[in-house]
Short mmCIF file of all heavy atoms in Angstrom, two decimals:
data_model
loop_
_atom_site.label_atom_id
_atom_site.label_comp_id
_atom_site.label_asym_id
_atom_site.label_seq_id
_atom_site.Cartn_x
_atom_site.Cartn_y
_atom_site.Cartn_z
N ALA D 1452 6.93 -51.09 -9.32
CA ALA D 1452 5.88 -51.75 -8.53
C ALA D 1452 6.53 -52.51 -7.37
O ALA D 1452 7.53 -53.20 -7.56
CB ALA D 1452 5.09 -52.70 -9.41
N VAL D 1453 5.96 -52.36 -6.19
CA VAL D 1453 6.50 -52.99 -4.99
C VAL D 1453 5.49 -54.00 -4.45
O VAL D 1453 4.33 -53.66 -4.22
CB VAL D 1453 6.81 -51.94 -3.90
CG1 VAL D 1453 7.34 -52.62 -2.63
CG2 VAL D 1453 7.82 -50.93 -4.42
N VAL D 1454 5.94 -55.24 -4.27
CA VAL D 1454 5.09 -56.29 -3.70
C VAL D 1454 5.51 -56.49 -2.25
O VAL D 1454 6.68 -56.73 -1.96
CB VAL D 1454 5.23 -57.61 -4.48
CG1 VAL D 1454 4.36 -58.69 -3.84
CG2 VAL D 1454 4.84 -57.41 -5.94
N CYS D 1455 4.55 -56.39 -1.34
CA CYS D 1455 4.88 -56.49 0.08
C CYS D 1455 3.67 -57.02 0.86
O CYS D 1455 2.60 -57.23 0.29
CB CYS D 1455 5.27 -55.12 0.63
SG CYS D 1455 3.90 -53.93 0.61
N SER D 1456 3.87 -57.22 2.15
CA SER D 1456 2.76 -57.62 3.03
C SER D 1456 2.25 -56.42 3.80
O SER D 1456 2.01 -56.47 5.01
CB SER D 1456 3.21 -58.73 3.98
OG SER D 1456 3.42 -59.93 3.27
N GLY D 1457 2.09 -55.33 3.09
CA GLY D 1457 1.60 -54.11 3.69
C GLY D 1457 2.69 -53.33 4.40
O GLY D 1457 3.87 -53.40 4.05
N VAL D 1458 2.28 -52.61 5.41
CA VAL D 1458 3.19 -51.76 6.18
C VAL D 1458 3.64 -52.54 7.41
O VAL D 1458 2.86 -53.31 7.99
CB VAL D 1458 2.46 -50.47 6.62
CG1 VAL D 1458 3.41 -49.55 7.36
CG2 VAL D 1458 1.85 -49.79 5.41
N LYS D 1459 4.88 -52.36 7.81
CA LYS D 1459 5.36 -53.05 9.01
C LYS D 1459 4.42 -52.74 10.18
O LYS D 1459 4.03 -51.59 10.40
CB LYS D 1459 6.79 -52.62 9.33
CG LYS D 1459 7.82 -53.11 8.32
CD LYS D 1459 9.22 -52.73 8.73
CE LYS D 1459 10.25 -53.29 7.76
NZ LYS D 1459 10.20 -52.64 6.44
N SER D 1460 4.11 -53.75 10.95
CA SER D 1460 3.11 -53.64 12.02
C SER D 1460 3.48 -52.62 13.09
O SER D 1460 2.61 -52.12 13.81
CB SER D 1460 2.90 -55.00 12.69
OG SER D 1460 2.46 -55.95 11.76
N ILE D 1461 4.76 -52.30 13.20
CA ILE D 1461 5.21 -51.36 14.23
C ILE D 1461 4.83 -49.92 13.89
O ILE D 1461 4.99 -49.02 14.71
CB ILE D 1461 6.74 -51.45 14.41
CG1 ILE D 1461 7.44 -51.19 13.08
CG2 ILE D 1461 7.13 -52.80 14.98
CD1 ILE D 1461 8.95 -51.19 13.15
N LEU D 1462 4.32 -49.69 12.68
CA LEU D 1462 4.01 -48.34 12.21
C LEU D 1462 2.52 -48.03 12.36
O LEU D 1462 1.72 -48.88 12.73
CB LEU D 1462 4.44 -48.20 10.75
CG LEU D 1462 5.90 -48.56 10.46
CD1 LEU D 1462 6.18 -48.54 8.97
CD2 LEU D 1462 6.84 -47.61 11.19
N ASP D 1463 2.17 -46.80 12.04
CA ASP D 1463 0.76 -46.38 12.05
C ASP D 1463 0.19 -46.66 10.66
O ASP D 1463 0.41 -45.89 9.72
CB ASP D 1463 0.67 -44.89 12.39
CG ASP D 1463 -0.76 -44.45 12.67
OD1 ASP D 1463 -1.66 -44.88 11.91
OD2 ASP D 1463 -0.98 -43.67 13.61
N ILE D 1464 -0.53 -47.76 10.55
CA ILE D 1464 -1.00 -48.21 9.24
C ILE D 1464 -2.03 -47.25 8.64
O ILE D 1464 -1.99 -46.94 7.45
CB ILE D 1464 -1.57 -49.64 9.34
CG1 ILE D 1464 -0.46 -50.60 9.76
CG2 ILE D 1464 -2.19 -50.08 8.02
CD1 ILE D 1464 -0.92 -52.02 10.00
N GLY D 1465 -2.95 -46.77 9.46
CA GLY D 1465 -3.97 -45.85 8.97
C GLY D 1465 -3.37 -44.58 8.40
O GLY D 1465 -3.72 -44.14 7.29
N LYS D 1466 -2.45 -43.97 9.14
CA LYS D 1466 -1.81 -42.73 8.67
C LYS D 1466 -0.96 -43.00 7.43
O LYS D 1466 -0.85 -42.15 6.54
CB LYS D 1466 -0.96 -42.12 9.78
CG LYS D 1466 -1.76 -41.45 10.89
CD LYS D 1466 -0.84 -40.73 11.86
CE LYS D 1466 -1.61 -39.95 12.92
NZ LYS D 1466 -2.37 -40.83 13.83
N THR D 1467 -0.34 -44.17 7.37
CA THR D 1467 0.47 -44.51 6.20
C THR D 1467 -0.38 -44.59 4.94
O THR D 1467 0.01 -44.09 3.88
CB THR D 1467 1.21 -45.85 6.42
OG1 THR D 1467 2.07 -45.73 7.56
CG2 THR D 1467 2.04 -46.22 5.20
N LEU D 1468 -1.55 -45.19 5.06
CA LEU D 1468 -2.45 -45.26 3.90
C LEU D 1468 -2.90 -43.87 3.47
O LEU D 1468 -3.04 -43.60 2.27
CB LEU D 1468 -3.66 -46.14 4.24
CG LEU D 1468 -3.38 -47.65 4.24
CD1 LEU D 1468 -4.56 -48.41 4.82
CD2 LEU D 1468 -3.09 -48.14 2.83
N GLU D 1469 -3.14 -43.00 4.43
CA GLU D 1469 -3.51 -41.62 4.10
C GLU D 1469 -2.37 -40.93 3.35
O GLU D 1469 -2.58 -40.20 2.37
CB GLU D 1469 -3.84 -40.83 5.37
CG GLU D 1469 -5.14 -41.25 6.05
CD GLU D 1469 -6.37 -40.89 5.25
OE1 GLU D 1469 -6.27 -40.03 4.35
OE2 GLU D 1469 -7.44 -41.47 5.51
N TYR D 1470 -1.14 -41.17 3.80
CA TYR D 1470 0.02 -40.54 3.16
C TYR D 1470 0.23 -41.10 1.75
O TYR D 1470 0.58 -40.36 0.83
CB TYR D 1470 1.27 -40.78 4.01
CG TYR D 1470 2.39 -39.81 3.71
CD1 TYR D 1470 2.54 -38.64 4.42
CD2 TYR D 1470 3.30 -40.08 2.69
CE1 TYR D 1470 3.57 -37.75 4.14
CE2 TYR D 1470 4.33 -39.20 2.39
CZ TYR D 1470 4.45 -38.03 3.12
OH TYR D 1470 5.46 -37.15 2.83
N LEU D 1471 0.01 -42.39 1.58
CA LEU D 1471 0.12 -42.99 0.25
C LEU D 1471 -0.89 -42.37 -0.71
O LEU D 1471 -0.59 -42.13 -1.88
CB LEU D 1471 -0.10 -44.50 0.34
CG LEU D 1471 1.05 -45.31 0.96
CD1 LEU D 1471 0.58 -46.73 1.30
CD2 LEU D 1471 2.25 -45.36 0.03
N GLU D 1472 -2.09 -42.11 -0.21
CA GLU D 1472 -3.11 -41.46 -1.04
C GLU D 1472 -2.66 -40.05 -1.44
O GLU D 1472 -2.81 -39.64 -2.60
CB GLU D 1472 -4.43 -41.38 -0.28
CG GLU D 1472 -5.55 -40.71 -1.08
CD GLU D 1472 -6.83 -40.55 -0.29
OE1 GLU D 1472 -6.86 -40.93 0.89
OE2 GLU D 1472 -7.80 -40.01 -0.85
N THR D 1473 -2.08 -39.33 -0.49
CA THR D 1473 -1.59 -37.98 -0.77
C THR D 1473 -0.52 -38.00 -1.86
O THR D 1473 -0.46 -37.10 -2.70
CB THR D 1473 -1.01 -37.35 0.51
OG1 THR D 1473 -2.03 -37.30 1.50
CG2 THR D 1473 -0.49 -35.94 0.25
N GLN D 1474 0.31 -39.04 -1.86
CA GLN D 1474 1.37 -39.16 -2.85
C GLN D 1474 0.87 -39.68 -4.20
O GLN D 1474 1.64 -39.78 -5.15
CB GLN D 1474 2.47 -40.08 -2.32
CG GLN D 1474 3.26 -39.52 -1.15
CD GLN D 1474 4.11 -38.34 -1.54
OE1 GLN D 1474 4.76 -38.33 -2.59
NE2 GLN D 1474 4.12 -37.30 -0.72
N GLY D 1475 -0.40 -40.03 -4.28
CA GLY D 1475 -0.96 -40.51 -5.54
C GLY D 1475 -0.53 -41.91 -5.91
O GLY D 1475 -0.36 -42.24 -7.09
N ILE D 1476 -0.36 -42.77 -4.91
CA ILE D 1476 0.16 -44.12 -5.15
C ILE D 1476 -0.99 -45.13 -5.12
O ILE D 1476 -1.70 -45.24 -4.11
CB ILE D 1476 1.20 -44.49 -4.07
CG1 ILE D 1476 2.35 -43.48 -4.09
CG2 ILE D 1476 1.72 -45.91 -4.27
CD1 ILE D 1476 3.11 -43.40 -2.81
N PRO D 1477 -1.18 -45.90 -6.19
CA PRO D 1477 -2.20 -46.95 -6.16
C PRO D 1477 -1.83 -48.02 -5.14
O PRO D 1477 -0.71 -48.53 -5.14
CB PRO D 1477 -2.16 -47.52 -7.59
CG PRO D 1477 -1.45 -46.50 -8.41
CD PRO D 1477 -0.50 -45.82 -7.49
N VAL D 1478 -2.76 -48.36 -4.27
CA VAL D 1478 -2.55 -49.41 -3.27
C VAL D 1478 -3.54 -50.53 -3.58
O VAL D 1478 -4.76 -50.32 -3.51
CB VAL D 1478 -2.77 -48.89 -1.84
CG1 VAL D 1478 -2.59 -50.02 -0.82
CG2 VAL D 1478 -1.80 -47.75 -1.54
N ILE D 1479 -3.02 -51.69 -3.94
CA ILE D 1479 -3.87 -52.76 -4.48
C ILE D 1479 -3.59 -54.07 -3.75
O ILE D 1479 -2.45 -54.53 -3.68
CB ILE D 1479 -3.60 -52.94 -5.99
CG1 ILE D 1479 -3.87 -51.61 -6.71
CG2 ILE D 1479 -4.46 -54.05 -6.57
CD1 ILE D 1479 -3.19 -51.48 -8.04
N LYS D 1480 -4.63 -54.66 -3.22
CA LYS D 1480 -4.51 -55.96 -2.56
C LYS D 1480 -4.63 -57.06 -3.61
O LYS D 1480 -5.52 -57.03 -4.46
CB LYS D 1480 -5.63 -56.10 -1.52
CG LYS D 1480 -5.83 -57.49 -0.94
CD LYS D 1480 -4.75 -57.86 0.04
CE LYS D 1480 -5.00 -59.24 0.66
NZ LYS D 1480 -6.22 -59.28 1.49
N ILE D 1481 -3.74 -58.04 -3.55
CA ILE D 1481 -3.83 -59.21 -4.42
C ILE D 1481 -4.36 -60.37 -3.58
O ILE D 1481 -3.72 -60.78 -2.61
CB ILE D 1481 -2.46 -59.59 -5.02
CG1 ILE D 1481 -1.88 -58.43 -5.84
CG2 ILE D 1481 -2.59 -60.83 -5.90
CD1 ILE D 1481 -0.50 -58.70 -6.39
N GLY D 1482 -5.53 -60.88 -3.93
CA GLY D 1482 -6.11 -61.96 -3.16
C GLY D 1482 -7.62 -61.93 -3.20
O GLY D 1482 -8.23 -61.11 -3.89
N GLU D 1483 -8.23 -62.82 -2.44
CA GLU D 1483 -9.68 -62.96 -2.47
C GLU D 1483 -10.40 -62.08 -1.46
O GLU D 1483 -11.61 -61.93 -1.52
CB GLU D 1483 -10.05 -64.44 -2.21
CG GLU D 1483 -9.52 -65.39 -3.28
CD GLU D 1483 -9.98 -65.03 -4.69
OE1 GLU D 1483 -11.14 -64.60 -4.83
OE2 GLU D 1483 -9.18 -65.18 -5.62
N THR D 1484 -9.68 -61.52 -0.51
CA THR D 1484 -10.30 -60.67 0.50
C THR D 1484 -9.81 -59.24 0.36
O THR D 1484 -8.67 -59.01 -0.08
CB THR D 1484 -9.99 -61.17 1.92
OG1 THR D 1484 -8.57 -61.18 2.11
CG2 THR D 1484 -10.53 -62.59 2.11
N PRO D 1485 -10.62 -58.25 0.73
CA PRO D 1485 -10.24 -56.84 0.52
C PRO D 1485 -9.41 -56.23 1.65
O PRO D 1485 -8.93 -55.12 1.52
CB PRO D 1485 -11.60 -56.14 0.43
CG PRO D 1485 -12.48 -56.95 1.34
CD PRO D 1485 -12.02 -58.38 1.19
#
Side-chain angles (χ1 to χ4, degrees):
V1453 178
V1454 179
C1455 66
S1456 290
V1458 183
K1459 292 183 177 69
S1460 300
I1461 57 177
L1462 306 173
D1463 190 318
I1464 296 175
K1466 286 187 175 66
T1467 299
L1468 284 170
E1469 290 291 342
Y1470 199 93
L1471 287 166
E1472 180 184 1
T1473 300
Q1474 292 292 318
I1476 301 157
V1478 178
I1479 302 158
K1480 168 74 177 295
I1481 301 177
E1483 298 303 322
T1484 59

